Amino acid sequence: MQSSESLSSLNRVKHNGTRHEVSGRTRVIVLLMRIIVGSVFVISGLSKLIDLWGTVFKIEDYVTVWGIDLPRTVIMICGLALSAFEFSSGILLATGCYRRTVTWGLMICMLFMVPLTLYIWIADPVSDCGCFGDFLIISNEATFFKNVVITSMVVYLLLYNKRVGGLFSAPIQWIVVSVVLFYCIVVALIGYNIQPMVDFRPFKVGGPLVEDSADNGEVLFRYSRKDEVKDFCADELPDESDGWTFVERLESENRKLRQLDVYDPVTGDDVTMDYIAGNDSLLLLVIPEPARADLSCTYTINELAERVVGDGGDFVALLATGDRGIERWKDLSMASYPCLEADDTQLKELSRGVMSMVWVTDDTIRWKRTVASISLEDTESVSSGEMSVSQLSFDGNVYMWNITLSLIVTLTLLYVFQTAVEKLVKLIVKDVAQVENVH
């Protein structure tokens, strides 16, 4: 007969009519791996859900490299499904729900991801795999080895996960799944239709739209003298009478990520400082994909443009197209505001959506949101002067905290009162069965 000490070191879980005994050490390892693997999938899934547009762009990078032509709607649905699977699987694994099913689902996922990331590491078709969206960018090599480690943990969980109990009893685990999936859909759709509630990109709300590179010392000037080449800061330029000859202006990669470059579509001149920087109030119309632009939104655009200019501000449209494309936009939208050319990647980093707006005051980004998310009522209120443009702001951080807190509170209450919920579910099922038998 075992002593009480040895009995306390065992965790017994009944599974398929058989009682398994798991040592305390194994139980700790299982719980630890649940948390580690679950956290990785939660972070990976949530970063994609928050910025579903970024997920769509990354998938489009893949399908373009592979020569596959898919409608954006299909890509969006696939991105949402992948993100929701990762996030919900991570939550379910960490809480011990559907221990066998979730583990096998993750194993199948990793059997696909490991060779895929190995191919990405070797062939390098894209700069990064996008596993964590823009939240965390790691090298393709690190991504592959990360997946190998995660896979080894999942293999261990395949052997022992089902023997260690979870937080929620089996009859109510479907409620956990429903709550988590609802959270996924809400987070993804808000980010897709308005703006990501948490911004991982360079142009953040509250940050500068255009950084003054001369002030931060990031611009260097390259000079040469005979066989010598040297880079100088703006305040340390050499005297050309000493034989130095100017070669080129150098800008750091960091500045290029933070610098919005805007060009005149006719001359090709850089007009960033002329139109974008130094404005007390500026409303930008951002169109990274003019071919997908929705002309039904031109009423909102023109009304807001008229109000901003009437109040002494500036309204500028930035389009990722050339002179002919911009002229076509002017004709179709009846634009009376300046329309300038910008790089599509920079515009996608600046603001998400096919057509979006960015409100800037004192060279600082105050809000951004898609044009379609601005209601007709708000448009008319701004046009009539009842509202100011600043009141169209969208505070994503507040939404994100409230929605996430609601998820945590719901799961916590479900855990605390799961016995009562389980009885209620059984009672409802019993009543439904009785009604079906009567009919």
Side-chain angles (χ1 to χ4, degrees):
M1 185 173 181
Q2 291 179 309
S3 66
S4 59
E5 293 182 359
S6 62
L7 286 175
S8 63
S9 67
L10 299 175
N11 179 49
R12 295 181 173 86
V13 177
K14 192 172 183 180
H15 181 74
N16 293 336
T18 304
R19 187 174 294 274
H20 297 278
E21 292 186 351
V22 181
S23 68
R25 179 183 177 184
T26 301
R27 182 173 185 272
V28 170
I29 294 175
V30 168
L31 294 177
L32 186 60
M33 287 188 175
R34 281 182 183 176
I35 294 174
I36 294 174
V37 177
S39 297
V40 170
F41 276 93
V42 166
I43 295 172
S44 176
L46 186 58
S47 62
K48 295 187 184 76
L49 287 169
I50 290 174
D51 186 9
L52 188 56
W53 274 107
T55 305
V56 168
F57 293 147
K58 180 54 65 175
I59 295 177
E60 286 180 341
D61 287 343
Y62 280 112
V63 298
T64 299
V65 168
W66 296 332
I68 303 173
D69 185 17
L70 291 176
R72 172 160 289 177
T73 302
V74 174
I75 293 177
M76 190 272 286
I77 294 173
C78 292
L80 175 58
L82 173 62
S83 306
F85 168 78
E86 289 183 344
F87 180 79
S88 58
S89 295
I91 294 290
L92 296 178
L93 181 66
T95 57
C97 294
Y98 296 107
R99 298 186 298 273
R100 181 194 295 268
T101 304
V102 169
T103 310
W104 273 108
L106 293 178
M107 188 71 248
I108 294 173
C109 176
M110 296 313 299
L111 288 176
F112 172 77
M113 293 303 299
V114 169
L116 175 63
T117 51
L118 176 61
Y119 157 75
I120 294 173
W121 177 25
I122 296 174
D124 197 27
V126 293
S127 57
D128 70 279
C129 72
C131 296
F132 300 103
D134 288 326
F135 168 70
L136 178 63
I137 298 177
I138 59 178
S139 68
N140 292 335
E141 178 183 0
T143 299
F144 169 72
F145 286 110
K146 180 263 296 181
N147 286 340
V148 170
V149 173
I150 294 298
T151 302
S152 64
M153 291 185 180
V154 174
V155 170
Y156 185 89
L157 289 173
L158 277 176
L159 300 175
Y160 298 103
N161 189 46
K162 61 181 178 293
R163 302 184 184 184
V164 179
L167 297 180
F168 300 95
S169 59
I172 65 170
Q173 289 179 7
W174 66 271
I175 302 179
V176 177
V177 175
S178 301
V179 171
V180 172
L181 288 179
F182 180 75
Y183 171 85
C184 293
I185 293 172
V186 171
V187 170
L189 293 185
I190 289 178
Y192 192 82
N193 292 300
I194 303 178
Q195 281 298 295
M197 290 183 284
V198 181
D199 200 343
F200 305 122
R201 293 159 292 151
F203 302 97
K204 293 180 173 61
V205 172
L209 177 62
V210 177
E211 287 190 345
D212 187 351
S213 57
D215 291 340
N216 58 33
E218 290 182 347
V219 175
L220 298 176
F221 297 88
R222 177 162 294 176
Y223 282 75
S224 65
R225 183 174 61 180
K226 295 183 179 180
D227 295 332
E228 183 181 4
V229 177
K230 191 174 181 180
D231 300 334
F232 298 88
C233 297
D235 56 352
E236 299 177 350
L237 297 181
D239 190 345
E240 294 189 3
S241 62
D242 293 334
W244 290 101
T245 302
F246 173 75
V247 177
E248 61 179 332
R249 172 184 170 129
L250 303 175
E251 297 176 359
S252 70
E253 289 300 318
N254 181 55
R255 179 181 178 275
K256 290 180 179 179
L257 288 173
R258 296 302 306 266
Q259 173 72 54
L260 179 64
D261 300 312
V262 178
Y263 303 93
D264 185 300
V266 178
T267 64
D269 295 335
D270 188 331
V271 293
T272 306
M273 306 308 292
D274 298 327
Y275 286 91
I276 305 302
N279 285 290
D280 293 331
S281 58
L282 169 67
L283 186 59
L284 292 175
L285 171 63
V286 181
I287 308 179
E289 299 174 297
R292 298 178 184 268
D294 185 0
L295 293 176
S296 65
C297 295
T298 54
Y299 172 77
T300 296
I301 295 170
N302 293 334
E303 288 294 307
L304 294 180
E306 184 178 349
R307 169 50 58 188
V308 170
V309 174
D311 290 340
D314 293 292
F315 188 97
V316 177
L318 304 180
L319 299 91
T321 184
D323 184 25
R324 293 182 62 182
I326 288 178
E327 287 301 321
R328 181 174 180 273
W329 167 255
K330 288 182 177 179
D331 292 339
L332 294 175
S333 65
M334 297 178 290
S336 59
Y337 42 83
C339 296
L340 306 174
E341 182 181 351
D343 178 69
D344 64 329
T345 300
Q346 285 190 339
L347 294 184
K348 289 176 180 178
E349 288 179 341
L350 174 60
S351 186
R352 296 305 198 197
V354 175
M355 300 171 64
S356 59
M357 287 187 169
V358 180
W359 176 241
V360 183
T361 61
D362 300 323
D363 289 328
T364 302
I365 300 173
R366 303 302 179 182
W367 60 255
K368 33 180 153 171
R369 62 187 302 172
T370 59
V371 177
S373 69
I374 302 174
S375 67
L376 180 61
E377 292 77 9
D378 285 345
T379 300
E380 293 178 345
S381 295
V382 172
S383 178
S384 64
E386 297 177 9
M387 286 178 57
S388 64
V389 176
S390 61
Q391 290 178 281
L392 295 174
S393 63
F394 167 71
D395 194 340
N397 288 324
V398 173
Y399 278 87
M400 188 67 196
W401 277 112
N402 289 339
I403 295 171
T404 303
L405 183 61
S406 299
L407 173 66
I408 295 173
V409 170
T410 301
L411 293 180
T412 301
L413 291 176
L414 185 61
Y415 171 74
V416 173
F417 300 104
Q418 63 180 306
T419 302
V421 175
E422 183 178 345
K423 291 180 180 179
L424 179 61
V425 169
K426 290 181 179 179
L427 182 61
I428 293 174
V429 172
K430 182 178 179 181
D431 290 342
V432 171
Q434 289 177 349
V435 172
E436 290 180 350
N437 289 334
V438 170
H439 291 288

